[in-house]
Amino acid sequence: MRGFRAISNVAARKLLVTCRPPTVRAATTPPAAAVFARRTLLAGTLTTLSLSTPALAKSDGAWAKHSGAFVDADFEDMTTAPSGLQYRVVEEGYGVKPQQGQKIKAHYAGYLLNGKKFDASYDRGSPLPFAVGAGQVIKGWDEALLDMKVGEKRLLKIPANLAYGARGAGGVIPPDATLVFYVELVTLAA
């Protein structure tokens, strides 16, 4: 949310600067009407900008907690993409979908099928920023997040070929591991 407010304030200041009356060279106090007009313009601009940008609810990740090994019932009613990626929309998004290469921020919690959590941005309190669809994350993430709307939450079951494959990752993710992610598309960057 801070990013939206900072952008809104900068945009409001730029608008205020471009709408100022011509500068008077003499050292005089600006007329009260001009000061009032600028303040009214600024207040109206900030109100409009804050109303046009939906507030992002701060997510604590409670929806992304899991205990114990995953069982088949956890993956019922999932949609399977042609690539083999499986997903279930947990909460519909309200925004637009990102474009390939666009910077986004996503919150996540990642698990192995045995239920062991290997990483979670929720635990750090900060979503992961990256350019989606640019190969900066695993293929399953790029595919899923390019199809999500801002604010959307999904449960993903990612086969090894769309994750870390036969190499695994850093001794934490074994070779040929299917991964389970709770993913939330938090925001898009311009």
Side-chain angles (χ1 to χ4, degrees):
M1 190 59 190
R2 287 184 187 161
F4 286 113
R5 285 204 172 132
I7 292 169
S8 298
N9 288 340
V10 168
R13 278 187 241 129
K14 285 181 181 176
L15 183 60
L16 182 62
V17 169
T18 59
C19 295
R20 284 187 179 164
T23 309
V24 178
R25 299 237 181 241
T28 61
T29 306
V35 171
F36 178 76
R38 282 189 292 219
R39 287 184 182 160
T40 303
L41 176 65
L42 178 60
T45 301
L46 290 176
T47 300
T48 301
L49 289 172
S50 65
L51 291 176
S52 65
T53 305
L56 295 177
K58 183 171 180 171
S59 181
D60 63 359
W63 77 280
K65 294 186 187 322
H66 184 85
S67 61
F70 287 90
V71 295
D72 290 340
D74 292 322
F75 306 115
E76 289 179 358
D77 300 323
M78 292 190 102
T79 301
T80 302
S83 66
L85 172 70
Q86 293 182 295
Y87 67 91
R88 179 184 319 118
V89 176
V90 175
E91 186 175 314
E92 291 286 340
Y94 52 82
V96 297
K97 293 179 181 181
Q99 299 297 312
Q100 187 162 356
Q102 185 172 16
K103 293 206 179 237
I104 67 165
K105 288 185 180 182
H107 258 310
Y108 66 93
Y111 295 85
L112 300 174
L113 286 176
N114 65 10
K116 180 181 178 189
K117 181 168 61 173
F118 57 83
D119 193 18
S121 65
Y122 290 110
D123 294 346
R124 291 185 294 279
S126 180
L128 178 69
F130 66 96
V132 69
Q136 295 181 353
V137 294
I138 60 175
K139 292 176 185 178
W141 262 46
D142 274 340
E143 181 179 341
L145 285 155
L146 280 169
D147 188 48
M148 292 172 65
K149 295 178 181 177
V150 173
E152 189 169 317
K153 296 177 181 177
R154 286 190 185 185
L155 174 64
L156 307 177
K157 184 178 181 187
I158 304 177
N161 65 312
L162 298 177
Y164 295 98
R167 73 183 188 278
V172 177
I173 298 171
D176 298 313
T178 295
L179 305 179
V180 179
F181 281 96
Y182 294 83
V183 180
E184 175 183 1
L185 179 52
V186 177
T187 188
L188 306 178

